[in-house]
Every structure is written in C-alpha cells, then in structure tokens.
Amino acid sequence: MEPFFASAAVVAFAEIGDKTMLLAILLATRFRAPLPIIFGILSATLLNHALAAFAGQQVAGLLDAPWFRWAVALGFVAMALWTLVPDKIDEEEGRVSHKGSIFLTTAIAFFLVEMGDKTQVATVALGAQYQAVLLVAAGTTLGMMIANVPAVYLGEELVRRVPLAAMRRIAAGLFLALGLWQIWGLQV
C-alpha cells in the first residue's frame, strides 16, 4: 500500500495552488454545478494518471540501470524545487468555453491542462519508482480529488484561507524526502 499512500500524499500537497486547482475554482465559479465538475475531474485524472504511471513503469522497466534510478531520484529533487514556484492560469488557459456538457467541458479541460503538469510528471516518476501502475494511478487520483473537491465546493474562499505558500513548501518537502530516500537506497 506504500505506492498508494505515498502517491496520494505527494499529489494532494503538490496540487495545492497548482493550475489545475485554479481551473477547478474557475469552473466552479463559472458553472456552479459541483457534481459534474467533480466527476469530470475524476475521469480526466484517472485516464491521465493511469497513462502517466504506465509510462513511468515502462520506462523504468526498459531502463533498469543505476543511472536511471539516479535520474528518478534527482527528478524528485527537481520536483521539490519546481513545486516551490507558484502556478498561475494564464489568460488563454483561463478561458473556458461551454460547448457541451459541464462534465465533458471539465474532463477535456482537466486532461489537457494536466499534460506536462508537475503532478503528471510526479505520477510518471512514482510509476517508475514503484512499478505499480494501478496503485500509483489510484493514489495520485485520490490526491487530486483531495485537493480539488474542496476547491470546487469552496472556490475562492478556500484560496483566501489556505496559505498556499506553506502548502507548496510541504509538497516540496515530500518530493525532496522521496528523492533523498531514493538516493539513500542507491547508496546502501
């Protein structure tokens, strides 16, 4: 269960203040329909993170060499630094068009915005580290939901009350701990 719980914790903290969390708030304030937004986030995250964890597992399986394990460990350290940089939805990403259902709009928007995002990159790294696609994808999806469901229901009020800088530091600490743990394992 370690891959599940570690993945959930890393992503839940990394998601605080992330652009997908800002997108959840934007969708919630625009559509005011929490359940289709939540199910859209869930479906997009499940698909995106399952693919990311699978990619991580496959890359690790193909490149099972000490240098690759070092690259994964250093990747976690880099993620720690990246997490300290706050995300903003830029003007183009902030525009949400509503051509279909709220669920479909949310699912597509979340899937696309999550591409190359730090939580997706973390999911690839976790998939490579743990070699457990289902547990990693389930854990990272749970982490996304832990962060984004309150954002949908509480919207802008949540952003005013939660110290995002402190949450980013906690997330950075988790990434750093995973990286250092991985490095320590390579030394033993």
Side-chain angles (χ1 to χ4, degrees):
M1 291 305 289
E2 179 184 337
F4 175 78
F5 290 119
S7 298
V10 164
V11 171
F13 283 109
E15 185 63 15
I16 303 294
D18 191 68
K19 65 185 171 188
T20 46
M21 182 183 210
L22 298 175
L23 178 61
I25 293 168
L26 177 74
L27 291 167
T29 56
R30 174 154 183 176
F31 297 129
R32 303 201 191 292
L35 288 179
I37 293 169
I38 289 168
F39 286 118
I41 293 169
L42 177 64
S43 63
T45 303
L46 277 170
L47 179 59
N48 191 297
H49 286 203
L51 292 171
F54 179 73
Q57 179 193 42
Q58 294 306 304
V59 169
L62 293 173
L63 303 171
D64 190 24
W67 70 267
F68 183 74
R69 289 192 296 273
W70 274 100
V72 169
L74 294 174
F76 278 118
V77 173
M79 289 298 299
L81 296 173
W82 187 10
T83 300
L84 293 172
V85 178
D87 276 335
K88 295 178 185 170
I89 295 180
D90 61 28
E91 302 248 346
E92 235 174 82
E93 289 179 33
R95 289 192 197 117
V96 178
S97 64
H98 181 51
K99 305 256 186 218
S101 73
I102 295 169
F103 166 81
L104 193 56
T105 299
T106 302
I108 291 170
F110 253 79
F111 187 85
L112 294 176
V113 170
E114 187 64 11
M115 298 300 285
D117 191 59
K118 64 185 157 209
T119 51
Q120 185 192 44
V121 173
T123 303
V124 171
L126 290 161
Q129 179 180 353
Y130 289 114
Q131 298 287 302
V133 172
L134 294 177
L135 289 174
V136 168
T140 57
T141 299
L142 176 62
M144 287 283 284
M145 300 313 288
I146 288 170
N148 286 306
V149 169
V152 170
Y153 281 108
L154 303 175
E156 293 179 36
E157 188 64 28
L158 180 69
V159 173
R160 279 189 283 247
R161 292 182 185 238
V162 175
L164 297 179
M167 296 307 283
R168 277 193 300 276
R169 285 191 293 275
I170 291 169
L174 286 171
F175 280 122
L176 183 60
L178 282 170
L180 294 176
W181 180 45
Q182 189 84 346
I183 290 169
W184 181 75
L186 290 168
Q187 300 297 320
V188 175

